[in-house]
Amino acid sequence: MTLFQLTLKNLRRRRTRTLLTIMGIGLGIGAVVALLGLAWGLEDSWSDAYKARKTDLVVRRSAGGLIAQPFSEEITTRVRKVPGVAAAAGLLTEVLSIEKVPMMVVSGREWGSFLWDTLKVVEGRLPKDASERGVVLGTLAAEMLEKKPGDKLGLEIDEFEVLGIVDGGAVVENGSVIVALPILQEMVLKEGDINFVNVRLNDHDADPHTVAKLIEKQAPGCRVDIASEVLSQNDGVKTFQAMNWGTSIIAILVGAFGVMNTMFMSVFERTREIGILLALGWKRSRILRMILLESVSLCLAAGIVGVLAGLVMLKILEFMPWMQGRIEPAVSWQLISLALGLAVAVGLGSGLYPALHCTRINPSLAIRQL
Amino acid sequence: MLPKLAVPANRLPLMPDAPADPPRSEVVFSLQDVRREFDDGHVLALRGVNLEIRAGEFVAIIGGSGSGKSTLLSLLGALDTPSSGSIRFQGKEMSEMPDLGEFRARHVGFVFQSFLLLPTLTALENVQVPMFELGWSRAERQRRAGELLQAVGMEHRLDHMPDKLSGGERQRVAIARSLANEPDILLADEPTGNLDSQNSVQIMDLLCRVQREKNTTMILVTHDPSIARLADRVITMKDGQVIADQPADRMAPSSAGSIS
Ligand SMILES: Nc1ncnc2c1ncn2[C@@H]1O[C@H](COP(=O)(O)OP(=O)(O)OP(=O)(O)O)[C@@H](O)[C@H]1O
Ligand SMILES: [Mg+2]
């Protein structure tokens, strides 16, 4: 018999209570897994999208939250002249409600720029020129809108023909409606405006950070981010992440108090047994370890339950209509080990107080208890 | 199995005048004016106890209910600390010991009236509990626990839970457990108090055998004069004080029980 086996026996004797406690803290950990899976998924999805577009740097207005503020398309021309820049493409990105889909990314792309080169035509064709009044749909967008080439698509007050369906190589790309820049500018009354410039660097000689600095000099009021970091640098996303953490921490705290309560009940009803252990020569440090081990085992079991629950939640979310084409949840070993590490931390944290209480038990009084 | 030791000369049953100057062994416990109060001094469980107990002695403590016998035993086993006065173990002041757990783990074995086995552990596991602090391997613990249970005649109940054992069987397991750390002091608080007379005889036989074979210092609380008579020395308590301390064979004959 080992200390760990003793621990398991103790947890098994009140199965229902143990299970309910595991559910409580497990839900908290599940929430963390789901929320972080989403948040990290959001970041990954966008960094994948930029990778698919072969974009290295992103220029946008330094002010503004989740929705990027517009600026003049002149900036694109200036960016192109910066040493180290291989190509630059102006974009106007809007989130619009289209037919029965409440939120769709509509991406107006500078005609002739590299942003059109990375789109693989699956069905139909791309527009003939910048002025053709038609759209192409990413594969997921086509599915969500239930359109095929030749169909009509109502966009704001106009109707456009679906010219083709494209595979952009990333979820965000495939979830978008893509049009030539002037058409979107006219439609949303932002003529001459863009809200992003995507920059591709010269392969060899360009250090992204140096080039970013140079671009910022040429484009006053704008900031330049490395493509893979755009999302994490965004204030809106930072707020979203903070809210996620806030919610998760509350869920974890609720669970942690549940664990503490359970551990307290468990040691109170075992006061006499702990007195016996002390009488039999157990050191107080061993009692402390036993209680902490119980609490950590409880939480680790909850961690496993929580990870599974979180993964199930993410799978369900993935198939929700408002999630499709926007975020692909990121499930990584990093996320799972973070969740389990959190579980262990909660176990130690909530077990400590009950365990310390045990070390103060007077064995003679404890043994007298009925 | 417990080794069969020769019975020490001063315990031979038919030795005439046994108490007359036997070679005296070292003092294990020495108590001076030991007091124990409860409830802020409203209850005086012990009011000035002075005692000396020597190595290898078998001491019985008798006395009415509430006279402080269990309280005294708790203090000797370091389960509790006195409100005032001094208890020395082998000359060392116990209140100055850095770790009383260490003292219990190395020196003391307990047997209680209500057995106090851990309910979630099998007999074999219960016996292993005191061995955790002794640095023995898991296999070693298991082997020794098996041997101890065999020595108390419980080898056929190794994997039984305490609630599946009879009272006498539980006390045998508890005795095996009290011997698990090879203690030099055995403290027993009414070990036969919950047993019928037949089981009482068997349990007392077992305790006396262990005490003799290992020359353990045994201090045993009992209500039963016929059990007290098995001891070398009987201490009588009343109202938290020792009122008599004499060799067992000087005890007034009693009609109670006919043990041994
Ligand atoms: N924790 C405590 N709080 C208050 N009073 C206590 C406590 N422990 C013991 N006492 C009191 O101290 C006195 C001595 O108790 P103790 O248990 O030592 O008696 P005892 O001689 O063992 O009696 P019995 O033969 O009935 O077991 C009793 O009056 C008891 O009520
Ligand atoms: Mg008592």
Side-chain angles (χ1 to χ4, degrees), chain A residues 1-3 5-6 9 13 272-273 276-283 286 362-364 367-368, chain B residues 79-80 99 101-102 104-105 110 114 116 118-121 125 128-130 132-133 138 141 177:
Chain A
M1 185 188 47
T2 62
L3 196 62
Q5 286 170 325
L6 199 70
K9 280 174 195 265
R13 72 169 110 163
R272 192 169 193 219
E273 275 173 47
I276 297 171
L277 291 173
L278 286 168
L280 297 179
W282 275 36
K283 303 243 169 79
R286 186 173 301 272
N362 173 324
S364 143
I367 287 173
R368 274 173 176 270
Chain B
L79 294 183
D80 195 11
D99 189 352
E102 175 82 17
R104 290 192 292 265
F110 280 103
S114 46
L116 301 188
L118 295 164
T120 50
L121 305 185
E125 288 165 342
Q128 291 173 57
V129 170
F132 271 83
E133 296 292 356
R138 192 169 137 189
R141 293 199 293 256
R177 184 180 68 177

Side-chain angles (χ1 to χ4, degrees), chain B residues 67-125:
Chain B
S67 57
K69 306 181 296 295
S70 298
T71 306
L72 178 59
L73 213 62
S74 288
L75 294 180
L76 293 177
L79 294 183
D80 195 11
T81 47
S83 308
S84 68
S86 133
I87 304 179
R88 286 166 180 274
F89 171 73
Q90 295 177 341
K92 285 187 291 286
E93 186 58 48
M94 284 188 36
S95 61
E96 286 163 16
M97 284 186 187
D99 189 352
L100 292 173
E102 175 82 17
F103 165 75
R104 290 192 292 265
R106 297 275 161 207
H107 297 287
V108 188
F110 280 103
V111 182
F112 301 94
Q113 175 175 0
S114 46
F115 323 125
L116 301 188
L117 296 175
L118 295 164
T120 50
L121 305 185
T122 63
L124 192 65
E125 288 165 342

Side-chain angles (χ1 to χ4, degrees), chain A residues 110-127:
Chain A
E110 189 175 339
W111 185 249
S113 72
F114 64 87
L115 294 179
W116 290 95
D117 302 341
T118 51
L119 302 176
K120 247 198 295 159
V121 178
V122 178
E123 243 183 284
R125 59 176 178 84
L126 295 181

Side-chain angles (χ1 to χ4, degrees), chain A residues 76-315:
Chain A
T76 320
T77 327
R78 287 203 228 164
V79 171
R80 267 187 204 116
K81 291 185 186 135
V82 172
V85 173
L91 274 136
L92 181 62
T93 300
E94 296 282 327
V95 176
L96 301 177
S97 153
I98 303 175
E99 297 190 349
K100 55 186 197 281
V101 182
M103 289 199 310
M104 288 240 77
V105 174
V106 183
S107 174
R109 300 182 172 193
E110 189 175 339
W111 185 249
S113 72
F114 64 87
L115 294 179
W116 290 95
D117 302 341
T118 51
L119 302 176
K120 247 198 295 159
V121 178
V122 178
E123 243 183 284
R125 59 176 178 84
L126 295 181
K128 283 198 290 287
D129 53 46
S131 58
E132 184 176 5
R133 294 186 61 81
V135 303
V136 296
L137 303 178
T139 46
L140 284 169
E143 251 173 62
M144 285 189 278
L145 294 164
E146 293 168 4
K147 298 286 179 194
K148 49 188 198 308
D151 289 349
K152 294 273 181 257
L153 181 71
L155 261 182
E156 299 289 270
I157 49 169
D158 286 331
E159 241 187 17
F160 292 81
E161 188 187 337
V162 176
L163 300 172
I165 293 173
V166 294
D167 176 3
V171 180
V172 174
E173 292 285 88
N174 290 342
S176 303
V177 175
I178 299 164
V179 296
L181 179 58
I183 294 186
L184 184 60
Q185 285 173 331
E186 189 197 318
M187 186 167 64
V188 298
L189 310 174
K190 285 180 182 164
E191 262 136 317
D193 279 349
I194 51 178
N195 47 18
F196 292 103
V197 179
N198 282 198
V199 179
R200 192 182 285 181
L201 296 177
N202 280 331
D203 281 344
H204 309 296
D205 48 336
D207 167 53
H209 292 278
T210 324
V211 179
K213 289 262 157 49
L214 291 174
I215 295 175
E216 274 173 2
K217 274 202 197 108
Q218 291 302 310
C222 289
R223 60 174 296 162
V224 184
D225 289 307
I226 311 290
S228 57
E229 296 166 9
V230 173
L231 253 272
S232 48
Q233 293 300 325
N234 183 306
D235 289 337
V237 172
K238 279 184 193 162
T239 315
F240 173 67
Q241 305 271 47
M243 278 162 55
N244 275 352
W245 273 111
T247 321
S248 307
I249 285 171
I250 291 172
I252 291 285
L253 274 182
V254 170
F257 279 110
V259 174
M260 201 186 280
N261 181 47
T262 293
M263 289 311 298
F264 253 118
M265 276 166 64
S266 157
V267 301
F268 277 141
E269 66 196 17
R270 282 192 286 151
T271 300
R272 192 169 193 219
E273 275 173 47
I274 291 163
I276 297 171
L277 291 173
L278 286 168
L280 297 179
W282 275 36
K283 303 243 169 79
R284 292 180 191 266
S285 60
R286 186 173 301 272
I287 307 263
L288 187 93
R289 257 185 293 155
M290 179 180 75
I291 305 297
L292 282 182
L293 199 59
E294 264 179 59
S295 163
V296 168
S297 312
L298 193 72
C299 288
L300 209 52
I304 293 165
V305 169
V307 166
L308 294 177
L311 296 184
V312 169
M313 280 192 255
L314 283 177
K315 258 281 165 277

